[in-house]
Amino acid sequence: MTAATVNPGINATSEDAIYRKVSWRLVPFLLLCYVVAYLDRVNVGFAKLQMLNDLKFSETVYGLGAGIFFIGYFLFEVPSNVILHRVGARIWIARIMITWGLISAAMMFVTTPTMFYVLRFLLGVAEAGFFPGIILYLTYWYPAARRGRTTTYFMTAIALSGVIGGPLSGWVMQSFDGHNGWAGWQWMFLIEGVPSILVGLWVLAYLDDRISHAKWLSAEEKTVLERNIAAEDQHKEDPPIARVLSSPRVWLMAAIYFSFVMGLYGVSFWLPTIIKQTGVSSALHIGLLTAIPYGCAVIGMVLFASSADRRGERRWHIAIPAMLGAIGLVLSVHWRGDTTMAMVALTIATIGILTTLPLFWSLPTAFLAGTGAAAGIALINSLGNLAGFISPYAVGWLKDATQSTDSGMYLLAASMVVGAVLVLSVPAKMVSRG
């Protein structure tokens, strides 16, 4: 069933206009939410430039603290997403953002490894459900054929947080260091925690839970959107939660996502350190340089997503960027003595890794719906994000053991290759509807 068959007055051009209206209302706001969320999650990578020396933490302590965030995230992901599906995105996303903003700001008071571990764990608990909740929320508004580019626009927030957060974090740490007796990294946690609280309050006033709640849509526009979603949901599964959690297809998706997240957080948590090792010493200059790979990644993400939607193909559009990410990571090791060439390699790696992530979500959302989608998406994201614990900890441990990040980068490259192979093992017909 198409929108045109529901109402002869609605043609393809009119339907496109309706979706543009929805996108301009939702996507920029959701992107802003994710920018401040992701910034609070990974700004510990910049804090590391000063924090480890000030607090006498080892690389292993840092890696464990950076990664323990994802244990809390893992434990509370599925229940959080099920609650969101039941109580609505508006209240639950606001709750998530306000609590994580408060905890992120509290990171400024860390003095011991135990405090570091506890606050990072609580930050993961607070944020659990945000990302899969937004992925689920988009399925309420967009059919699969339109969701690829929309999800990518939303997930460019990962790259944009690097473009904005890198220079911002470097500037705050360098400019505020010593003010009021606080170190630059303490000021950074405080200043970057406040936007999450403010945007969380904005969510309560701005976000609509469902199409039917949107006062900014006409009755005719709501009918078109709801009929498109209903027509697509007829072809999806909404199995009991227990069956979703034991589904081999869902676990395959989790394995793929795990592989890609290994690469993502290897770059997110260690990019400032890798750049510093090439000979750059200024925190501000490191921050400015980190913006380059992320800025290029925004372009790469949009181009690949547009191509995937235009061709109706997903698997190769995920596998090829994954291989590019692996190649970039390997080259960053070989060119580590040359800042310019190392930046080229890190840019290739960042483009490849970040491009895989939004397109990956077109796979599980092509066969899950309803409460099953809420549980399935949350399980995939929580299991995949365990790599966020393993990746920084493994790289930190290898760096302490070898006094180099080389072996860690090889590990992350191998993970991206495994993810590419697993994607190509997914039957094309299983996701062809997307």
Side-chain angles (χ1 to χ4, degrees), residues 11 16 39 63 97 106 110 119 121 124 143 161 177 231 254 263 287 312 331 338 359 380 415:
N11 55 32
D16 287 342
L39 182 59
M97 295 191 68
V110 167
L119 284 174
F121 176 82
S161 70
D177 192 30
L331 290 176
D338 184 325
L359 290 177
I380 292 164
S415 180

Side-chain angles (χ1 to χ4, degrees), residues 176-218:
F176 284 74
D177 192 30
H179 282 242
N180 200 42
W182 294 343
W185 61 268
Q186 292 177 298
W187 278 107
M188 185 198 68
F189 281 128
L190 175 62
I191 290 171
E192 294 182 0
V194 171
S196 295
I197 301 170
L198 297 178
V199 175
L201 294 172
W202 191 5
V203 167
L204 288 171
Y206 188 86
L207 211 60
D208 297 294
D209 288 330
R210 297 276 184 166
I211 294 170
S212 59
H213 298 168
K215 296 179 181 179
W216 42 274
L217 290 171
S218 69

Side-chain angles (χ1 to χ4, degrees), residues 179-429:
H179 282 242
N180 200 42
W182 294 343
W185 61 268
Q186 292 177 298
W187 278 107
M188 185 198 68
F189 281 128
L190 175 62
I191 290 171
E192 294 182 0
V194 171
S196 295
I197 301 170
L198 297 178
V199 175
L201 294 172
W202 191 5
V203 167
L204 288 171
Y206 188 86
L207 211 60
D208 297 294
D209 288 330
R210 297 276 184 166
I211 294 170
S212 59
H213 298 168
K215 296 179 181 179
W216 42 274
L217 290 171
S218 69
E220 185 179 51
E221 289 169 335
K222 291 178 184 178
T223 298
V224 172
L225 297 173
E226 289 174 336
R227 292 291 178 88
N228 285 350
I229 296 298
E232 180 176 85
D233 284 351
Q234 292 176 5
H235 303 283
K236 292 183 179 181
E237 301 177 29
D238 186 6
I241 292 177
R243 185 146 64 89
V244 171
L245 301 185
S246 62
S247 167
R249 289 191 294 185
V250 170
W251 282 83
L252 172 60
M253 295 294 123
I256 295 170
Y257 197 52
F258 181 94
S259 300
F260 294 155
V261 172
M262 281 286 290
L264 171 65
Y265 288 113
V267 169
S268 298
F269 288 125
W270 290 93
L271 184 59
T273 299
I274 295 170
I275 293 174
K276 184 176 182 179
Q277 289 175 345
T278 68
V280 182
S281 58
S282 165
L284 177 58
H285 291 162
I286 292 171
L288 292 171
L289 286 174
T290 60
I292 296 173
Y294 287 116
C296 294
V298 172
I299 299 171
M301 291 168 76
V302 172
L303 290 177
F304 267 91
S306 297
S307 174
D309 277 358
R310 189 168 58 252
R311 291 175 170 79
E313 197 284 325
R314 306 294 175 188
R315 299 185 311 153
W316 285 103
H317 281 81
I318 301 171
I320 291 173
M323 294 302 298
L324 284 175
I327 292 169
L329 289 169
V330 171
L331 290 176
S332 73
V333 171
H334 289 279
W335 292 337
R336 67 182 180 277
D338 184 325
T339 300
T340 300
M341 294 307 296
M343 287 303 302
V344 170
L346 290 169
T347 298
I348 293 171
T350 305
I351 292 172
I353 292 168
L354 266 63
T355 296
T356 63
L357 299 172
L359 290 177
F360 161 79
W361 286 106
S362 65
L363 304 183
T365 54
F367 62 87
L368 290 172
T371 304
I377 291 170
L379 178 66
I380 292 164
N381 193 59
S382 61
L383 290 172
N385 271 289
L386 283 178
F389 169 74
I390 295 171
S391 179
Y393 180 69
V395 174
W397 181 83
L398 287 169
K399 188 174 188 295
D400 273 341
T402 65
Q403 302 305 306
S404 171
T405 56
D406 292 3
S407 53
M409 294 304 102
Y410 287 135
L411 172 65
L412 302 180
S415 180
M416 295 302 297
V417 173
V418 170
V421 172
L422 290 176
V423 166
L424 295 177
S425 75
V426 176
K429 64 180 180 180

Side-chain angles (χ1 to χ4, degrees), residues 1-8 10-12 15 223-224 227-228 231:
M1 180 183 296
T2 65
T5 61
V6 174
N7 185 336
I10 298 292
N11 55 32
E15 185 172 306
T223 298
V224 172
R227 292 291 178 88
N228 285 350

Side-chain angles (χ1 to χ4, degrees), residues 64-86:
L64 179 58
I68 207 168
F69 166 96
F70 295 98
I71 301 298
Y73 199 83
F74 168 77
L75 293 174
F76 289 88
E77 186 90 331
V78 173
S80 177
N81 222 35
V82 172
I83 291 171
L84 181 146
H85 184 63
R86 291 175 178 170

